[in-house]
Amino acid sequence: MESIETLISTIWQEFENLKKRPETTGIIVPDSMPLLWFGDLPAYEKSSLRVLTVSKNPSDAEFGMHQRFSSVLTEPSVAYQTVLNQYFKHNPNKWFHQLAKFLPIFDAGYEDAVNTALHIDLFTPIATKPVWPGLGDKQQYFNMKFDQLVKILAPDVILTSLSVANLNILLKHSGEKVVEIFNESEPGKSAKYVKAYRVDDHLVVINGRNFQGTYFGGMSAAFVSDCLRKIREVL
């Protein structure tokens, strides 16, 4: 199995090459770096239930005026891993609040929890502007690292909120055998649902309807929480 250190080295090499490609140089956020994960990796690895949250690719808002990663912008190193591990301790993006509020159902949280959750991205760990949905087909020239990350991180639960097409991509890259184990729609609301799949008999992937870019959007928190509790019972 590929190590996390090898994967870090690989993505940095690809990042430098992508900055030189005509198709991608203009969409990579200036003064940025690859963000292979967000959160405390050592604490995640010690958790009895390993929970990953997943989005499409990092936001340009992680850089620039926020200066979340200003200390490491030139090369992979021990400091690079440290900065990623400490992400939620220093001015994390408010975008994570929507996912974070459901993590306690799994005795998890991005910090200060029994199980430390980690966040990764499906299509690329490289921040782009616009973000993934706004890129043209020729601009989506990125080698996915999701497969390798899932093998290295060995999650028990993946929590995400993707379109049907993107969810199918995630499931395809998570394992070989996929079985739907949960499907519930919120009463009185069209196409508002939470679904869960068991992948290769061990990993559970949970997907809630994405509403206009809001994860688990358009559904009541009570409905989503009730679905997640039911899923937790069958883990």
Side-chain angles (χ1 to χ4, degrees):
M1 181 189 299
E2 188 174 21
S3 70
I4 195 68
E5 288 77 17
T6 300
L7 187 56
I8 289 171
S9 178
T10 298
I11 190 58
W12 271 87
Q13 291 174 12
E14 293 184 8
F15 176 63
E16 295 300 328
N17 291 333
L18 286 166
K19 288 193 292 184
K20 301 172 185 176
R21 290 182 64 92
E23 302 93 330
T24 52
T25 184
I27 62 172
I28 294 177
V29 176
D31 296 325
S32 65
M33 68 179 187
L35 301 175
L36 266 176
W37 71 88
F38 298 74
D40 191 336
L41 177 57
Y44 165 87
E45 292 176 330
K46 295 176 183 176
S47 298
S48 59
L49 186 72
R50 293 185 173 187
V51 179
L52 284 183
T53 59
V54 177
S55 58
K56 291 178 282 294
N57 81 312
S59 166
D60 64 296
E62 298 298 345
F63 301 96
M65 62 178 291
H66 300 287
Q67 295 297 308
R68 293 189 175 101
F69 302 101
S70 58
S71 62
V72 186
L73 292 173
T74 57
E75 60 181 327
S77 62
V78 173
Y80 171 76
Q81 294 196 46
T82 300
V83 170
L84 298 186
N85 290 338
Q86 295 180 349
Y87 175 82
F88 288 103
K89 299 183 183 300
H90 305 291
N91 189 32
N93 195 321
K94 293 181 180 179
W95 179 89
F96 287 99
H97 291 178
Q98 178 69 1
L99 280 170
K101 68 183 181 183
F102 299 117
L103 292 176
I105 294 170
F106 301 94
D107 298 319
Y110 292 121
E111 59 177 346
D112 300 325
V114 174
N115 300 308
T116 299
L118 218 60
H119 183 83
I120 65 173
D121 287 288
L122 175 60
F123 292 108
T124 176
I126 295 172
T128 61
K129 188 174 183 179
V131 291
W132 193 264
L135 300 180
D137 291 342
K138 292 183 179 180
Q139 294 173 315
Q140 292 178 344
Y141 186 87
F142 296 86
N143 293 320
M144 287 178 62
K145 303 302 176 191
F146 182 79
D147 308 58
Q148 295 97 311
L149 273 171
V150 168
K151 289 179 181 177
I152 293 169
L153 298 175
D156 300 301
V157 176
I158 288 178
L159 185 64
T160 191
S161 183
L162 299 170
S163 67
V164 172
N166 288 339
L167 173 65
N168 287 337
I169 293 171
L170 183 150
L171 291 171
K172 178 182 177 181
H173 288 269
S174 296
E176 297 181 357
K177 179 183 176 183
V178 178
V179 179
E180 184 178 290
I181 61 171
F182 184 89
N183 184 346
E184 193 164 320
S185 299
E186 186 165 19
K189 293 193 176 183
S190 176
K192 307 299 181 185
Y193 55 79
V194 174
K195 298 181 180 181
Y197 306 82
R198 194 176 300 279
V199 180
D200 291 344
D201 299 323
H202 66 276
L203 169 64
V204 172
V205 175
I206 303 169
N207 187 63
R209 170 66 186 272
N210 185 306
F211 182 68
Q212 297 180 349
T214 299
Y215 275 33
F216 293 90
M219 298 178 284
S220 68
F223 169 73
V224 176
S225 297
D226 181 62
C227 289
L228 297 181
R229 289 190 188 97
K230 292 176 180 177
I231 297 168
R232 175 70 193 269
E233 292 176 358
V234 299
L235 289 181

